[in-house]
Amino acid sequence: MHHTTVLALVLGGAAILVSARPPHGIHAVAGSGTVKCPLVFDGRVKTATVLEDFDSYATSIFNPDYVRGKDKFSQIIKFPEAGSARFDTEAHKPFEVTISDNSIFQTQKGFRRAGLQFQGDTNSGSPGSSGIKTIHFSLKWDSQRALNLSHEYLNVWHEAGDYSSNQFNFETGAILGQSSLSRDTYKVLDRKNKQIWSTAIDKTAWQNFAITLNFDKNTLQVYYSKGDDPLKSVTSALSNDNSGGGQYQIGILKKPTGTSDVVNAGFQQKNLNEGLIYGSLFLEDSAAGCISL
Ligand SMILES: *[C@@H]1O[C@H](CO)[C@@H](O)[C@H](O)[C@H]1NC(C)=O
C-alpha cells in the first residue's frame, strides 16, 4: 500500500505542492508472487537490514567471509532504488553486488569476483544439494555500473564440493571459447558448459529466473518471466550430472580476456565499478514438484 503524502515545500519564496511517494526499495512495495514451497535458504534481504549486517555471522543471512577480496561485504553490497522483484514482499529490498579493483579472492588475480553464499549452505552435506531444490533469483541491470559484455561473467552457479566443476552456470557476456553465443544475453549452461537456454538482457525491467535441480534424477529445468509476470518453464527437465555436492554462489565472477589461464592471468580493466542488482533470492524445496511461479 502506498500512502501518498502531500508535502508543501517552499522553494524560492513560492509554495508548491508535490506528491511524495516513498522511493522504491526503501519503503514497502511488493511483488505479486508468493513463495508456495518450504524455504531451504531465504536470501531475500530485509528492509531493515543495514550494510554492516553483511559483515558478521550474527546479522547476515549470507557467509560474511566468502567469497570476496579485501573489501568487506558492507563495502561490496549497495542498496539501489530498484523497485520490488516478484517474490519480494514489503519486508524485503533489492541489493546490488559490485566488483572493483579490490575484488581479488585469495591469489585469483585473473578474476574479479564478489559472491554470496547462503549461511548454512555448507560445502559438504548441505540441504541445498539433495532431493529436488529450486533456486530463485531476479536481476536488474544497473546502467551506472554496467557489466562489460566483452567479458564472461558467472552470476549464479552451484559449485561442486571438490571445486573442480559447476553443476550449472547462469552467466552473461562473451563466453570464452564459445564465440557463437550472443554476448548480451543471460544464459544457463549445464555441467558440460553447454548452453541450454538464453534470453536477451532487458536493461530496465526485472527479469526473474528459477532453476530446479533434481539431485535424485540428475535433471535441470529453467523457469523465466519478466517484470511481475508469473514464471513459465522454458526448458523441460534436462539430463544433467548434479552429483558432487557443494554450494550455491550468487553475485559476480568476471573472467579476464586474453589468456588461457583465467584464474591467475589475463586482462582486467582498471578503476572497475560494475554491479548487478538482485532480488527475490531464495532456495525452495521442490519435493513432489512444488514450485513457486
Ligand atoms: C570492455 O572490455 C574490453 C576487453 O577487456 C576492453 O577492451 C574495453 O576497454 C572494456 N570497455 C570498457 C568500457 O571498459
Side-chain angles (χ1 to χ4, degrees):
M1 276 291 253
H2 290 297
H3 298 281
T4 301
T5 316
V6 178
L7 292 178
L9 291 185
V10 180
L11 280 181
I16 55 166
L17 289 174
V18 294
S19 167
R21 201 168 123 141
H24 285 210
I26 301 291
H27 187 46
V29 189
S32 68
T34 311
V35 177
K36 293 198 174 133
C37 319
L39 281 167
V40 183
F41 300 122
D42 195 351
R44 294 175 299 173
V45 169
K46 290 266 167 59
T47 312
T49 299
V50 297
L51 293 173
E52 289 68 28
D53 290 341
F54 289 96
D55 292 339
S56 91
Y57 279 98
T59 50
S60 184
I61 54 175
F62 302 107
N63 185 330
D65 299 325
Y66 291 92
V67 176
R68 60 177 175 85
K70 64 184 177 191
D71 287 352
K72 294 179 169 185
F73 278 113
S74 57
Q75 297 165 281
I76 292 166
I77 304 290
K78 313 275 177 217
F79 291 135
E81 292 182 10
S84 278
R86 176 158 177 77
F87 296 100
D88 283 340
T89 73
E90 296 179 356
H92 304 115
K93 62 182 170 186
F95 61 95
E96 181 165 9
V97 177
T98 67
I99 53 171
S100 71
D101 298 350
N102 288 339
S103 305
I104 297 172
F105 174 62
Q106 296 177 346
T107 60
Q108 299 179 351
K109 294 202 166 74
F111 295 152
R112 296 294 176 274
R113 66 185 295 189
L116 296 164
Q117 297 174 336
F118 299 111
Q119 222 184 102
D121 189 19
T122 49
N123 190 45
S124 171
S126 169
S129 303
S130 64
I132 310 172
K133 301 287 159 23
T134 300
I135 181 140
H136 284 259
F137 53 98
S138 298
L139 295 178
K140 206 168 203 188
W141 191 256
D142 182 354
S143 55
Q144 304 301 306
R145 293 193 183 84
L147 306 182
N148 179 343
L149 299 173
S150 299
H151 287 249
E152 175 176 348
Y153 293 86
L154 273 68
N155 301 110
V156 178
W157 66 103
H158 192 279
E159 184 168 14
D162 66 0
Y163 307 115
S164 70
S165 62
N166 301 334
Q167 282 93 345
F168 77 89
N169 291 317
F170 178 96
E171 302 203 39
T172 190
I175 307 300
L176 293 166
Q178 301 198 55
S179 55
S180 63
L181 301 181
S182 169
R183 297 174 170 205
D184 46 5
T185 58
Y186 292 122
K187 40 206 156 244
V188 179
L189 278 62
D190 68 9
R191 188 150 192 174
K192 296 175 177 161
N193 279 323
K194 181 174 163 266
Q195 178 177 295
I196 57 170
W197 178 78
S198 71
T199 192
I201 298 172
D202 187 313
K203 295 192 174 161
T204 56
W206 278 106
Q207 289 174 283
N208 314 302
F209 307 90
I211 300 174
T212 300
L213 290 138
N214 186 324
F215 292 95
D216 301 325
K217 292 192 172 159
N218 280 310
T219 61
L220 199 60
Q221 184 165 12
V222 183
Y223 298 79
Y224 171 69
S225 77
K226 200 186 273 196
D228 196 41
D229 291 346
L231 294 166
K232 287 193 178 132
S233 102
V234 289
T235 72
S236 56
L238 301 168
S239 176
N240 190 57
D241 178 4
N242 293 334
S243 67
Q247 293 160 297
Y248 295 90
Q249 307 236 10
I250 302 105
I252 298 179
L253 185 157
K254 182 183 188 182
K255 292 186 181 177
T257 54
T259 181
S260 56
D261 181 10
V262 293
V263 180
N264 303 296
F267 176 77
Q268 291 279 5
Q269 66 209 64
K270 293 278 186 300
N271 303 315
L272 195 59
N273 179 23
E274 298 183 357
L276 193 60
I277 303 169
Y278 284 85
S280 279
L281 172 65
F282 58 96
L283 185 78
E284 70 183 353
D285 193 336
S286 287
C290 187
I291 181 156
S292 305
L293 299 174

